[in-house]
Amino acid sequence: MSVPLQDQPIEQVREQVIDKLIYNYGQGVLSLEAFERRLDIVMESADATEIEAQAQDLPHQISKEYERSRSSAFDVTYDAGRRTEKETIFSVLGGSTRTGAWVVPSEITSVSIMGGSELDFSQAVFTSQQVTIRVFCLFGGDNIYVPENVNVVSRAFCILGGNTIDLPPVIHRRQVPTIVIEGLVVFGGIDVKIKRSIKQRLVNFARSMKQMLNAEK
C-alpha cells in the first residue's frame, strides 16, 4: 500500500520525481530541454503536488539497474577497514591541500596562520559516519569542498572573521556522513561548498544513463 503524497516528506517526493525524470530522459521520452525545465521546477518548488505533477505523464518506472547506477554515482564511498583516527594539517605562510581519493580520518586538526588549507571531500573515502574538523585560523582561511550528500554542522567561533556554508538540500539520502567543524577563526574565514552544483551533477548523470540505456537497446 503506497503512502499518500500528503503524508510523504517533501524531500522524499522530490527524490522520487527526480529519479523518474532522469530515467525517462534516458529512455528518450523527454528531450534535454524538457528534462532540464522540469528538473528546475522540481528542485525549486516547495509544493509536493507541483513536484509530483512533473512526472505524472511519464510512462517508465525506474529499474533496479538504475537504482544501482544511482547509488554508485551519488553515494559517499565508505571503507571502514581503512580507518585512521587523526590527521593534523599545518598551513603557515603557505597552503596545504587534500584532494582526490584520500582516506578521511575521523578527526582532522587544521592550523592555518597567514595561510590556508583546502580540504576536498568530493572523491574522498570516508571511514566513519562522523568526521570532526578542529580548526584554528589566524589571518588565514580554510576552504572545504564536500559531496552533495553530506550534513555539515559548524560550531566554530569567529572573531572578525566569517564562517560560510553554501550547500543545497541533501538529495539521494543513503549513507550520509556528518562533518562537524569546531574551533576558532580570527581575522580569517571558513568556506564550505560543493565544486559542482547539484543540478550539474544530476544532468551529467542523466546523460550517462541515456548513453547506457541506448547501448543496451
Side-chain angles (χ1 to χ4, degrees):
M1 182 176 180
S2 61
V3 180
L5 174 66
Q6 62 271 22
D7 295 334
Q8 296 183 40
I10 190 169
E11 291 306 325
Q12 182 177 325
V13 176
R14 198 188 315 275
E15 177 178 334
Q16 292 171 355
V17 172
I18 287 174
D19 283 340
K20 198 169 181 182
L21 288 176
I22 292 173
Y23 191 69
N24 279 268
Y25 167 72
Q27 293 285 1
V29 176
L30 294 172
S31 67
L32 180 59
E33 181 181 2
F35 167 69
E36 291 197 51
R37 182 173 64 250
R38 295 191 189 200
L39 182 62
D40 285 338
I41 295 172
V42 170
M43 294 183 65
E44 295 171 6
S45 177
D47 184 339
T49 301
E50 181 182 32
I51 292 172
E52 189 192 39
Q54 305 310 310
Q56 283 182 335
D57 62 333
L58 300 179
H60 298 291
Q61 301 297 324
I62 64 173
S63 65
K64 293 296 183 181
E65 290 76 14
Y66 170 86
E67 290 180 350
R68 286 192 288 269
S69 296
R70 178 195 59 195
S71 296
S72 176
F74 287 95
D75 285 356
V76 172
T77 303
Y78 277 99
D79 188 349
R82 299 173 68 182
R83 189 178 182 88
T84 177
E85 295 299 329
K86 296 182 180 181
E87 181 175 350
T88 301
I89 300 171
F90 289 99
S91 304
V92 181
L93 296 175
S96 300
T97 301
R98 294 291 186 277
T99 190
W102 63 293
V103 178
V104 179
S106 58
E107 183 177 317
I108 300 171
T109 300
S110 177
V111 179
S112 299
I113 301 174
M114 300 184 72
S117 68
E118 179 178 301
L119 301 177
D120 184 356
F121 295 93
S122 300
Q123 298 176 301
V125 178
F126 287 79
T127 58
S128 59
Q129 195 70 29
Q130 178 171 308
V131 177
T132 301
I133 304 176
R134 306 187 191 281
V135 300
F136 176 72
C137 298
L138 177 62
F139 293 102
D142 292 340
N143 291 319
I144 301 173
Y145 298 99
V146 299
E148 293 83 1
N149 293 334
V150 299
N151 293 316
V152 179
V153 178
S154 179
R155 300 172 185 155
F157 184 67
C158 300
I159 301 174
L160 296 176
N163 187 1
T164 303
I165 299 177
D166 183 16
L167 300 176
V170 171
I171 296 178
H172 295 296
R173 184 181 293 270
R174 297 292 184 273
Q175 291 180 310
V176 180
T178 297
I179 297 176
V180 179
I181 304 171
E182 302 176 346
L184 177 64
V185 180
V186 183
F187 291 105
I190 299 173
D191 288 325
V192 182
K193 51 193 171 183
I194 61 175
K195 280 194 168 181
R196 293 188 294 176
S197 71
I198 182 61
K199 179 182 176 181
Q200 184 180 358
R201 286 288 304 277
L202 290 169
V203 170
N204 289 346
F205 175 63
R207 285 172 170 163
S208 69
M209 283 300 305
K210 188 168 187 176
Q211 291 177 348
M212 183 182 76
L213 292 171
N214 286 339
E216 293 176 352
K217 292 179 180 179

